[in-house]
Amino acid sequence: MPKDSGIGASPKRREDVRFLTGTGNYTDDINLNGQAYVHFLRSDVAHGRLVSVDTSDAAAMPGVVRIFTGADFEGVGGLPCGWQVTDRFGEVMQEPAHPVLAQGKVRHVGDPIAAVVADTPEQARDAAEAIAVEMEELPAVINMKEAVKDGATKVHDDLTSNLCYDWGFVEENREAVDKAIQDAAHVTTLELVNNRLVANPMEPRVAVGDFNRATGESTLYTTSQNPHVIRLLMGAFVLGIPEHKLRVVAPDVGGGFGSKIFHYAEEAFCTFAAKALNRAVKWTSSRSEAFMSDAHGRDHVTKIELALDADNNFTALRTETYANMGAYLSTFAPSVPTWLHGTLMAGNYKTPLIYVNVKAVFTNTVAVDAYRGAGRPEATYQLERVIDKAARELGVDPIALRRQNFITEFPYATPVAVEYDTGDYVATMDKLEEIADLSGFAARRAASEAKGKLRGLGVNCYIEACGIAPSNLVGQLGARAGLYESATVRVNATGGIVVMTGSHSHGQGHETSFPQVIADMIGIPEDMVEIEHGDTANTPMGMGTYGSRSLAVGGSAMVRATEKIIAKAKKIAAHILEASDADIELKDGQFTVAGTDKSLAWGDVTLAAYVPHNYPLEDIEPGLEETAFYDPANFTYPSGAYACEVEVDPDTGKVTIESFAAADDFGNIVNPMIVDGQVHGGIGQGIGQALLEGCVYDEDGQLLSASFMDYAMPRADDLPFYKVDHSCQTPCTHNPLGVKGCGEAGAIGTPPAVVNAVVDALQSAGKDVTHIDMPLSPARVWAAMNG
Amino acid sequence: MVKVTMTVNGRTASGEVEGRTLLSGFLREELGLTGTHVGCDTSQCGACVVHVDGKAVKSCTMLAAEADGAEIATIEGQAAPDGTLNVIQQAFQDHHGLQCGFCTPGMVMSAAALLKDNPKPSEQEIREYLEGNLCRCTGYHNIVKAIMAASGQDVSAVAAE
Ligand code: FES
Ligand code: FES
């Protein structure tokens, strides 16, 4: 029987009402009195030396308030990078400067050269066209392998080369892995590309800077997944504004998928300009600007080798990856191909020896950083593709090969430095076989063939590390931040509760799911609990929402704060009921003295906390508000098994998704409806990556896929209904809710299933095709089929 | 500048606009109806869909001046005056057809236009009709399901929610 409230129920989302009636409050809906508008003049070449930027004509145009160039930002900090990777020789990565507006050189199409502030957006845009830029164009470096060759043009003149770092993991395993591969009974090798993607949340980025001369306080309204992180990075590293003079607000945010984690130049500019002009300054990105200024995702070129013994047990794995950083280091870019990728290379399998090498490379392209899954999709894709290829080479069933090598005992310490606390990979695979009706596949293939179509089945597993992360661990790995979360639970006199959380909801439904947890703990209706997020003025501190961490880390902080509330409320109840607090029980919103019928309602106790007439004032303070910070003890490890069935049209190469099934283990579930929705969205993006999406630069560094006309976003008629199941639940052992996180799973688990399915379809027709790089466009599939 | 007058959600609205002002800009900036969203600059995303004289139109493809004298319906006018959601809005909430909510106004307005012409669309008809409405959050599953439910179809067979 499904529950109708509390943990495990699916109440309708309360945030929906404002979104469905057009009354949400997104950043672009915010207009401040007397605000001016900024338009950025962006580079239209990939690489060039700025000879001069003449703004005199433009400055005289109607409505222009002021034009800023790189010169205005001399002495102002650049955009900081939040993670320092140490390479395999013990050296720290090369870290170039990242000015707010270009200084001396432009390094990618879209690099901002000047910023025009005017009374209206149209005037700002018109004036930007009148700026005269003299540029000496330089050769662009786009291809990563070319970029690291001796003598290649350097993106940053002051660095020794275009190599950011050369990372080895685990370096001590290197020789043992080489030897195991040499001695193996069978080695499967695969070279592949993890295609460059653009996150494209439907809401483009927006920033509104404001300044109050009377108080000296700056305020930034921005489309961010983590307003506190922006306050810290921008305040401390770019503009030198202390936190108590800087407020960052991220109101309703229209999707993020990683791309709204990072601190961007436009945010710093609007805050800076508002103070310089004593006037609010607003920037709204167009979609075209978003394509050339939002951080991109993925873009790995990889060679992977899997070694097996004569009984088909995995014995070793070696991978070499070139990871594109783009022209500058975005906020968390260095961590994505390293600690969020290398540590996941064991996947669901007991491979004893693993070595991961990653070369991060600067190119004249937009910065690349985390995009839904961040490193884990790249790990899963190569691993699950090479396993599939191995099965086909060995003539064994791909599912059986996986099952044979599954990790089955937990906790399990992998050879890549992480310890999985729980999981049951057999159970999720069993569940997948059931919901995807794999036993009926042969009949479905026959039916497709009768229509002249090739049908393929692709199956794969995934594991991810979520709930990022223990601060002391990530500190050792190079993070320049802690990754805890905080929550303040404020109980009002009449019993209603406001929770202020550092987690940020931009589609995840925290306003609905977080109250379910509190309501369960206290035994009160969910509508007595309200969630506030997204404003540094309200919430104590927050690391924000990404890496599927909100419930596992932010939710845990909220639970800890609520536990403190309950402990204090019991003391108050004990005093009034003249009992010892150890004897007080809280159930269904009633405090009772164990074994008696003496009781007090929740509201009586909360009222006593604020009207402390009969109250233990000598022991405890009045009031009922508690804050907790929660720092996780480990990552969480969601896992699952996915199956995709495709049809391929042999005449055109067009692939259609006929069915898609996902069996996930997310540990405990608070709101199954929301979890399903998260998985659906991830699958949609995963199918997008596999079949449609690809960000393309030409060799001169021109961005060819610069709008929705050229970048193929998945549309409703590209996708089927999905079958999703999360009944396999092995609760996380180290957070109080036993939850693991579900936001990224779909995007991680999906691409290999689709590609495995297409390869299966082609091989079923006797085609000698072992791999096709994503996106599997009709042209690519047709070319692969026709040799 | 040109003066335009139109009926928006049943009320007369007028303003002075530049020749290049888009209907989406007029609704958002002049009338403060920020429920109509702008998600692109190439008329691809559908976040800006409103009804002009009863037809679904991407309001970013139409000049405000062209809408002079027209009857406009936006997301703000869809619920009853007491706040009760209409059938489509309610189905979106019941079936979790939205996450971040940014595409939602356009989705609801497109769905309304579809159901007016085709009161019981099939799954495939819905998917094809929504070709001009992008959603990055939902994978479309629950949007399609919500529209089927809003048209009175039994969606219990569609994979559980
Ligand atoms: S804003 Fe109108 S279609 Fe995108
Ligand atoms: S709900 Fe976020 S784009 Fe559709």
Side-chain angles (χ1 to χ4, degrees), chain A residues 394-413:
Chain A
L394 295 164
V396 297
D397 174 51
I399 296 178
L401 181 63
R402 287 178 169 85
R403 284 180 178 273
Q404 172 184 345
N405 285 281
F406 273 161
I407 295 161
T408 50
E409 280 167 27
F410 297 87
Y412 178 82

Side-chain angles (χ1 to χ4, degrees), chain A residues 197-340:
Chain A
L197 302 177
V198 182
N200 276 322
M202 292 318 301
E203 177 203 31
R205 288 189 297 120
V206 180
V208 189
D210 193 20
F211 181 67
N212 182 333
R213 243 186 211 173
T215 61
E217 192 183 277
S218 295
T219 303
L220 170 69
Y221 301 88
T222 182
T223 48
S224 176
Q225 301 176 215
N226 33 235
H228 294 84
V229 175
I230 303 306
R231 182 181 65 168
L232 181 66
L233 293 175
M234 183 175 79
F237 297 99
V238 189
L239 301 180
I241 308 173
E243 277 125 310
H244 66 290
K245 292 292 184 195
L246 177 58
R247 176 179 167 209
V248 178
V249 184
D252 287 330
V253 172
F257 315 112
S259 69
K260 291 174 181 168
I261 299 172
F262 323 121
H263 177 38
Y264 286 99
E266 297 85 358
E267 295 172 316
F269 178 82
C270 289
T271 310
F272 177 89
K275 186 172 179 181
L277 302 170
N278 192 33
R279 184 171 174 185
V281 174
K282 180 172 185 173
W283 171 70
T284 302
S285 176
S286 67
R287 182 60 60 182
S288 309
E289 264 185 301
F291 273 102
M292 55 174 139
S293 66
D294 289 8
H296 293 175
R298 317 279 193 260
D299 205 352
H300 285 192
V301 175
T302 294
K303 177 180 177 189
I304 179 167
E305 295 156 284
L306 173 67
L308 303 94
D309 68 15
D311 298 322
N312 297 342
N313 298 310
F314 302 162
T315 57
L317 191 69
R318 180 167 65 195
T319 85
E320 184 190 31
T321 288
Y322 288 81
N324 207 334
M325 294 286 104
Y328 301 100
L329 288 179
S330 174
T331 310
F332 289 114
S335 68
V336 174
T338 51
W339 300 108
L340 295 177

